[in-house]
Amino acid sequence: MNTTSTVQDWIAIHPQDDVIITLREYTKGETIVLPDDVSFALLDDVPKGHKIAVHHIEAGENVMKYGFSIGVAKEQIAQGSWIHSHNLKTGLHGLLDYEYNPGLASKTEMPPEHLRSFDGYLRPNGEAGIRNEIWIVNTVGCINKVCEALARMGQSQFGKRVDGVFHFPHPFGCSQLGDDLKYTQQLLASLVEHPNAGGVLVIGLGCENNQVDQFRECIAPEYQGKVRFLKAQEIDDELEEGLRLMEELVEVAEQEKRQPLPLSKLKIGLKCGGSDGLSGITANPLVGSVADMLVAAGGTAILTEVPEMFGAETILMNRAANEQVFDDLVDLVNGFKQYFVNHGQNIYENPSPGNKAGGITTLEEKSLGCTQKGGRSEVVDVLRYGKRVTKTGLNIVEAPGNDLVSVTALSAAGAHIVLFTTGRGTPFGGPVPTVKIATQSDLANRKKHWIDFNAGQLLEGQTMDDVRVQLFSQLIDIASGRSQTLSEQHGFREIAIFKDGVIL
């Protein structure tokens, strides 16, 4: 699914495609000249990042992009027409049966030798951290403001001794029962265990369903040494006690120093948000290539956004390491589809308004671009929501497409850094460093306070080999603490919890 030809103002992706993609706005009547000297006049105005039909397409025919169908023509589409929601619809429907046809995974290149290690914190249990921060995790939303005040006070008092003090507010933990409570606890416990936190202060109110003592049991014994617990209703001055416990955590955390570590210790999350018609052409393939390099070096990449795999899921399924992984992925995909059905929603009611404005018409078009973040590596494991990665290589974790929810799930799964591609732009930052990668130079230049890396270089003469080494080098600098993401610099850190819990 790599680019095969570029002609200044438009791009062709695959020789079997029925469309080209515009790299600027086009006006009705302009002439397009294809590489085989076929020329035609545009029948419509066409926005940047959108699709133009390169030949006549009959009603009911599949329309090809990336070498795959992105939907079905609603009507006859003449050569030179703008193809979008008015004349193209999804070809997806219902639940599907799948057959395992392995063999799509391929070996990929190692990163350059000078980029095969990073300077991180080796935790006592053998895990690596790329930050040495103090995190405040509350068991219930009622205590958010106390935790927020403690984070400010902690940053002022201890910020120079560690890499920062941070609190991640959420509204849950009160009046939750059964699986709903269980999966909130599971997600929060996985964050507590994250190796970017050298110490964690868990604060409860005292009357909530998510009791501190109960939540403590959700945290694995090997992590208990870096955690302190506080019940606000049982303490005369919870701020004073919180600072005292935080100082204990700082004393533990500052004993650890950065040291050279192999890439096998590094985990990255893969995410897109505010995608446009160029996401699957520039930023997502770039991130996939970087993920492949890390996996080739023994590291770990984590992919999510399950509903945005619909229509491209077989590409991932046929890269499953074995039939068990294949079956787990089938269950994950069909489980999410059933989730939509159970809530009376159209399974394929996607893409979003912003996606459509950027040139994405159908879910299969969005998915074919989205899944390219997973590169070409073998899928080694499928994780349920809130669970942590245990295998190196490409993992898939259960979570929806919502940016805050999915980045939180990637972080809880163990991602040290999230590579976040965007064609529309977003200031969001997750609990771990969140690298914003623009699909085009216009966005990168206009939103310099949001965007960390410009994948639009790939449309301006730069090769994939050169640009992926640039991004990988920046990744290593961030992991080694030599640089921060813009969202880190601005203090933009948030989490969100999937209220419905897991799908299955």
Side-chain angles (χ1 to χ4, degrees):
M1 284 194 260
N2 290 331
T3 299
T4 56
S5 62
T6 304
V7 185
Q8 189 175 1
D9 293 332
W10 56 265
I11 191 167
I13 302 171
H14 191 281
Q16 295 180 357
D17 286 354
D18 300 312
V19 300
I20 56 176
I21 314 304
T22 60
L23 302 181
R24 64 167 174 83
E25 292 185 1
Y26 272 86
T27 303
K28 180 179 178 179
E30 287 193 67
T31 298
I32 297 288
V33 180
L34 300 178
D36 56 5
D37 292 329
V38 171
S39 64
F40 54 86
L42 290 184
L43 303 181
D44 308 287
D45 295 337
V46 184
K48 180 179 178 179
H50 286 241
K51 299 174 289 294
I52 297 171
V54 297
H55 54 71
H56 181 84
I57 301 169
E58 288 290 340
E61 287 186 346
N62 288 317
V63 176
M64 307 294 284
K65 179 183 175 185
Y66 304 115
F68 294 88
S69 173
I70 59 167
V72 177
K74 294 181 181 179
E75 58 191 38
Q76 287 190 347
I77 301 175
Q79 183 184 51
S81 296
W82 174 34
I83 294 183
H84 202 32
S85 304
H86 60 287
N87 56 12
L88 179 66
K89 65 180 181 179
T90 181
L92 302 175
H93 54 86
L95 302 180
L96 300 176
D97 295 322
Y98 300 97
E99 182 178 348
Y100 184 35
N101 295 301
L104 284 184
S106 58
K107 292 184 178 180
T108 54
E109 294 181 23
M110 292 274 285
E113 191 168 350
H114 70 284
L115 297 176
R116 293 182 188 176
S117 67
F118 68 100
D119 294 334
Y121 298 94
L122 186 62
R123 302 305 185 190
N125 64 357
E127 290 187 336
I130 68 164
R131 297 290 184 267
N132 201 28
E133 299 169 340
I134 302 299
W135 289 4
I136 301 174
V137 174
N138 49 299
T139 62
V140 65
C142 309
I143 206 77
N144 275 335
K145 289 302 180 180
V146 168
C147 296
E148 181 182 305
L150 265 174
R152 286 197 304 268
M153 296 165 67
Q155 178 64 30
S156 175
Q157 190 164 331
F158 308 119
K160 293 182 179 180
R161 296 169 61 182
V162 290
D163 290 338
V165 179
F166 302 98
H167 166 237
F168 309 118
H170 66 85
F172 302 127
C174 182
S175 302
Q176 287 185 277
L177 300 170
D179 285 349
D180 184 31
L181 174 60
K182 174 183 175 182
Y183 296 122
T184 293
Q185 291 174 326
Q186 182 172 284
L187 188 284
L188 292 175
S190 290
L191 287 176
V192 168
E193 295 170 357
H194 199 287
N196 280 6
V200 181
L201 178 59
V202 172
I203 305 181
L205 182 57
C207 53
E208 65 271 19
N209 282 22
N210 188 19
Q211 285 285 302
V212 167
D213 291 338
Q214 182 185 15
F215 180 62
R216 185 199 300 259
E217 296 176 2
C218 300
I219 302 168
E222 64 190 276
Y223 299 98
Q224 298 277 345
K226 72 165 188 175
V227 187
R228 299 293 183 272
F229 299 89
L230 189 157
K231 302 176 187 178
Q233 289 176 341
E234 298 181 5
I235 301 297
D236 290 344
D237 188 335
E238 67 278 359
L239 295 177
E240 180 181 1
E241 177 65 5
L243 284 173
R244 185 189 71 78
L245 293 174
M246 207 180 302
E247 184 163 26
E248 289 184 12
L249 294 171
V250 169
E251 290 172 353
V252 171
E254 65 184 351
Q255 299 304 309
E256 299 189 31
K257 308 298 180 184
R258 287 192 183 272
Q259 58 182 287
L261 298 172
L263 290 181
S264 58
K265 297 286 188 183
L266 188 62
K267 303 178 180 71
I268 60 171
L270 313 171
K271 175 73 180 86
C272 56
S275 299
D276 68 357
L278 299 176
S279 293
I281 297 171
T282 59
N284 288 351
L286 171 62
V287 165
S289 184
V290 166
D292 283 339
M293 289 173 68
L294 180 61
V295 168
T300 300
I302 313 169
L303 182 67
T304 188
E305 303 176 280
V306 178
E308 295 176 15
M309 298 174 186
F310 298 169
E313 65 266 44
T314 57
I315 295 173
L316 294 168
M317 290 174 179
N318 293 332
R319 284 162 42 196
N322 52 54
E323 287 201 54
Q324 183 60 60
V325 174
F326 168 78
D327 290 341
D328 289 345
L329 188 48
V330 170
D331 288 346
L332 181 62
V333 169
N334 279 338
F336 244 109
K337 289 180 180 180
Q338 190 62 49
Y339 168 76
F340 283 93
V341 172
N342 291 346
H343 286 74
Q345 299 298 311
N346 186 334
I347 294 174
Y348 305 111
E349 189 59 39
N350 206 331
S352 70
N355 297 151
K356 291 178 180 178
I360 299 173
T361 306
T362 64
L363 179 53
E364 49 263 63
E365 180 181 9
K366 184 175 182 178
S367 296
L368 287 163
C370 178
T371 55
Q372 291 190 61
K373 299 191 306 296
R376 296 175 292 158
S377 299
E378 184 178 74
V379 178
V380 298
D381 204 4
V382 177
L383 308 175
R384 294 306 176 188
Y385 177 73
K387 292 293 188 179
R388 293 177 60 78
V389 164
T390 60
K391 297 179 181 179
T392 58
L394 177 62
N395 290 251
I396 295 176
V397 64
E398 178 180 44
N402 176 283
D403 291 353
L404 278 71
V405 172
S406 55
V407 170
T408 303
L410 290 168
S411 303
H416 297 103
I417 299 174
V418 172
L419 301 184
F420 190 119
T421 68
T422 181
R424 309 284 292 173
T426 173
F428 165 70
V432 301
T434 307
V435 183
K436 301 298 175 41
I437 303 168
T439 66
Q440 51 172 304
S441 294
D442 287 351
L443 174 63
N445 292 331
R446 188 168 55 85
K447 288 292 189 180
K448 292 181 179 179
H449 56 299
W450 287 1
I451 300 301
D452 296 284
F453 192 88
N454 178 22
Q457 300 174 71
L458 292 168
L459 301 175
E460 298 163 357
Q462 296 296 309
T463 67
M464 178 64 80
D465 284 344
D466 288 342
V467 178
R468 70 177 177 175
V469 170
Q470 287 180 40
L471 180 55
F472 205 94
S473 179
Q474 186 165 331
L475 178 69
I476 297 303
D477 281 346
I478 292 169
S480 299
R482 292 189 288 269
S483 65
Q484 288 187 321
T485 64
L486 289 169
S487 58
E488 284 185 284
Q489 293 174 30
H490 297 318
F492 294 168
R493 293 180 178 231
E494 300 177 72
I495 67 168
I497 300 172
F498 191 32
K499 187 64 167 64
D500 268 333
V502 298
I503 303 310
L504 298 177

Coordinates of all heavy atoms in Angstrom, one line a residue, residues 134 150 157-158 199-203 225-231 235 237-252:
I134 N 6.2 11.2 39.3 CA 5.2 10.8 40.4 C 3.8 11.0 39.9 O 3.5 12.1 39.4 CB 5.5 11.6 41.7 CG1 6.9 11.5 42.1 CG2 4.5 11.2 42.7 CD1 7.3 10.1 42.5
L150 N -2.9 18.6 45.2 CA -1.7 17.9 45.6 C -0.6 17.9 44.5 O 0.6 18.0 44.7 CB -2.0 16.5 46.1 CG -2.2 16.3 47.6 CD1 -2.7 14.9 47.8 CD2 -0.9 16.6 48.3
Q157 N 7.2 21.5 45.1 CA 8.1 21.1 46.1 C 9.1 20.0 45.6 O 10.3 20.0 46.1 CB 7.3 20.5 47.3 CG 8.1 20.2 48.6 CD 7.3 20.1 49.8 OE1 6.2 20.6 49.9 NE2 7.8 19.3 50.8
F158 N 8.7 19.1 44.7 CA 9.5 18.0 44.4 C 9.9 18.0 42.9 O 10.6 17.1 42.4 CB 8.9 16.7 44.7 CG 8.4 16.6 46.1 CD1 7.0 16.4 46.4 CD2 9.3 16.7 47.2 CE1 6.6 16.3 47.7 CE2 8.8 16.6 48.5 CZ 7.5 16.4 48.8
G199 N 7.0 6.5 41.1 CA 6.2 6.4 42.3 C 4.7 6.8 42.1 O 4.5 7.7 41.2
V200 N 3.8 6.2 42.8 CA 2.4 6.5 42.6 C 1.7 6.7 43.9 O 1.8 5.8 44.8 CB 1.7 5.4 41.8 CG1 0.2 5.7 41.6 CG2 2.3 5.1 40.5
L201 N 1.0 7.8 44.1 CA 0.1 8.0 45.2 C -1.3 7.7 44.9 O -1.9 8.4 44.0 CB 0.3 9.4 45.7 CG -0.5 9.9 46.9 CD1 -0.2 9.0 48.1 CD2 -0.3 11.3 47.2
V202 N -1.9 6.7 45.5 CA -3.3 6.4 45.2 C -4.1 7.0 46.3 O -3.9 6.8 47.5 CB -3.5 4.8 45.2 CG1 -5.0 4.5 45.2 CG2 -2.8 4.2 44.1
I203 N -5.1 7.8 46.0 CA -5.9 8.5 46.9 C -7.4 8.2 46.7 O -7.9 8.2 45.6 CB -5.8 10.0 46.8 CG1 -4.3 10.4 46.9 CG2 -6.6 10.8 47.8 CD1 -4.0 11.9 46.8
G225 N 5.8 -1.7 46.1 CA 6.8 -0.9 46.7 C 6.9 0.5 46.2 O 7.4 1.4 46.9
K226 N 6.4 0.8 45.0 CA 6.4 2.2 44.5 C 5.1 2.9 44.7 O 4.9 4.0 44.2 CB 6.8 2.2 43.0 CG 5.7 1.7 42.1 CD 6.0 2.1 40.6 CE 4.8 1.8 39.7 NZ 5.1 2.3 38.4
V227 N 4.2 2.3 45.5 CA 2.9 2.9 45.7 C 2.6 3.2 47.2 O 3.0 2.5 48.1 CB 1.8 1.9 45.2 CG1 0.4 2.6 45.2 CG2 2.1 1.4 43.8
R228 N 2.0 4.4 47.4 CA 1.5 4.7 48.7 C 0.0 5.0 48.6 O -0.5 5.4 47.6 CB 2.2 6.0 49.3 CG 3.7 5.8 49.4 CD 4.1 4.8 50.5 NE 5.5 4.8 50.7 CZ 6.3 3.9 50.0 NH1 5.8 3.1 49.1 NH2 7.6 3.9 50.2
F229 N -0.7 4.7 49.7 CA -2.2 4.8 49.7 C -2.7 5.8 50.8 O -2.1 5.9 51.9 CB -2.8 3.4 50.0 CG -2.5 2.4 48.9 CD1 -1.3 1.6 49.1 CD2 -3.2 2.2 47.8 CE1 -1.0 0.7 48.1 CE2 -2.9 1.3 46.9 CZ -1.8 0.5 47.0
L230 N -3.7 6.5 50.4 CA -4.3 7.5 51.4 C -5.8 7.5 51.3 O -6.3 7.6 50.2 CB -3.7 8.9 51.0 CG -4.0 10.1 51.9 CD1 -2.9 11.2 51.7 CD2 -5.4 10.7 51.7
K231 N -6.5 7.5 52.4 CA -7.9 7.6 52.5 C -8.3 9.0 53.1 O -8.1 9.2 54.3 CB -8.5 6.5 53.4 CG -8.1 5.1 52.9 CD -8.7 4.0 53.9 CE -8.2 2.6 53.5 NZ -8.7 1.6 54.5
I235 N -8.1 11.1 57.4 CA -6.9 11.9 57.7 C -7.4 13.3 58.1 O -8.3 13.9 57.4 CB -6.0 12.0 56.5 CG1 -5.5 10.5 56.2 CG2 -4.8 12.9 56.8 CD1 -4.7 9.9 57.2
D237 N -5.7 16.1 57.8 CA -5.2 17.0 56.8 C -4.7 16.2 55.6 O -3.5 15.8 55.7 CB -4.2 18.0 57.3 CG -3.8 19.1 56.3 OD1 -4.0 18.9 55.0 OD2 -3.4 20.2 56.7
E238 N -5.5 15.9 54.6 CA -5.1 15.0 53.5 C -4.0 15.7 52.7 O -3.2 14.9 52.1 CB -6.3 14.7 52.7 CG -7.0 15.8 51.9 CD -7.9 16.6 52.7 OE1 -8.1 16.3 53.9 OE2 -8.5 17.6 52.1
L239 N -3.9 17.0 52.6 CA -2.9 17.6 51.8 C -1.5 17.5 52.5 O -0.5 17.1 51.8 CB -3.2 19.1 51.6 CG -4.5 19.4 50.7 CD1 -4.7 20.9 50.7 CD2 -4.3 18.8 49.4
E240 N -1.5 17.7 53.8 CA -0.2 17.5 54.5 C 0.2 16.0 54.4 O 1.4 15.8 54.2 CB -0.4 17.9 56.0 CG 0.8 17.8 56.8 CD 0.6 18.2 58.2 OE1 -0.6 18.5 58.6 OE2 1.5 18.1 59.0
E241 N -0.7 15.1 54.6 CA -0.3 13.7 54.6 C 0.0 13.3 53.2 O 1.0 12.5 53.0 CB -1.5 12.8 55.1 CG -1.3 11.3 55.0 CD -0.2 10.8 56.0 OE1 0.4 11.7 56.7 OE2 0.2 9.6 55.9
G242 N -0.7 13.8 52.2 CA -0.3 13.5 50.8 C 1.1 13.9 50.4 O 1.8 13.2 49.8
L243 N 1.5 15.1 50.9 CA 2.8 15.6 50.6 C 3.9 14.7 51.3 O 5.0 14.5 50.8 CB 3.0 17.0 51.0 CG 2.4 18.1 50.1 CD1 2.4 19.5 50.7 CD2 3.1 18.1 48.7
R244 N 3.5 14.3 52.5 CA 4.5 13.4 53.3 C 4.7 12.1 52.5 O 5.8 11.6 52.4 CB 3.9 13.2 54.7 CG 4.9 12.4 55.6 CD 4.3 11.9 56.9 NE 3.3 10.9 56.7 CZ 3.6 9.6 56.5 NH1 4.9 9.2 56.4 NH2 2.7 8.7 56.3
L245 N 3.6 11.5 52.1 CA 3.7 10.3 51.3 C 4.4 10.5 50.0 O 5.2 9.6 49.5 CB 2.3 9.7 51.1 CG 1.6 9.2 52.4 CD1 0.2 8.8 52.0 CD2 2.3 8.0 53.0
M246 N 4.2 11.6 49.4 CA 4.8 11.9 48.1 C 6.3 12.0 48.3 O 7.1 11.6 47.4 CB 4.2 13.2 47.5 CG 4.3 13.3 46.0 SD 3.6 14.8 45.4 CE 1.9 14.8 46.0
E247 N 6.7 12.6 49.4 CA 8.2 12.7 49.6 C 8.8 11.4 49.7 O 9.9 11.1 49.3 CB 8.5 13.6 50.8 CG 10.0 13.8 51.1 CD 10.3 14.9 52.0 OE1 9.4 15.3 52.9 OE2 11.4 15.5 51.9
E248 N 8.1 10.4 50.4 CA 8.6 9.1 50.4 C 8.8 8.5 49.0 O 9.8 7.8 48.7 CB 7.6 8.2 51.2 CG 7.6 8.4 52.7 CD 6.7 7.4 53.4 OE1 6.3 6.4 52.8 OE2 6.4 7.6 54.6
L249 N 7.8 8.7 48.2 CA 7.9 8.2 46.8 C 9.0 8.9 46.0 O 9.7 8.2 45.3 CB 6.6 8.5 46.1 CG 5.4 7.7 46.6 CD1 4.1 8.2 46.0 CD2 5.5 6.2 46.4
V250 N 9.2 10.2 46.2 CA 10.3 10.9 45.5 C 11.6 10.3 46.0 O 12.5 10.1 45.1 CB 10.2 12.4 45.8 CG1 11.5 13.1 45.4 CG2 9.0 13.0 45.2
E251 N 11.8 10.0 47.2 CA 13.1 9.4 47.7 C 13.3 8.0 47.1 O 14.5 7.7 46.8 CB 13.0 9.3 49.3 CG 13.1 10.6 50.0 CD 12.8 10.5 51.5 OE1 12.5 9.4 51.9 OE2 13.0 11.6 52.2
V252 N 12.3 7.3 46.9 CA 12.4 6.0 46.2 C 12.8 6.2 44.7 O 13.7 5.6 44.2 CB 11.1 5.2 46.3 CG1 11.2 3.9 45.4 CG2 10.9 4.8 47.7

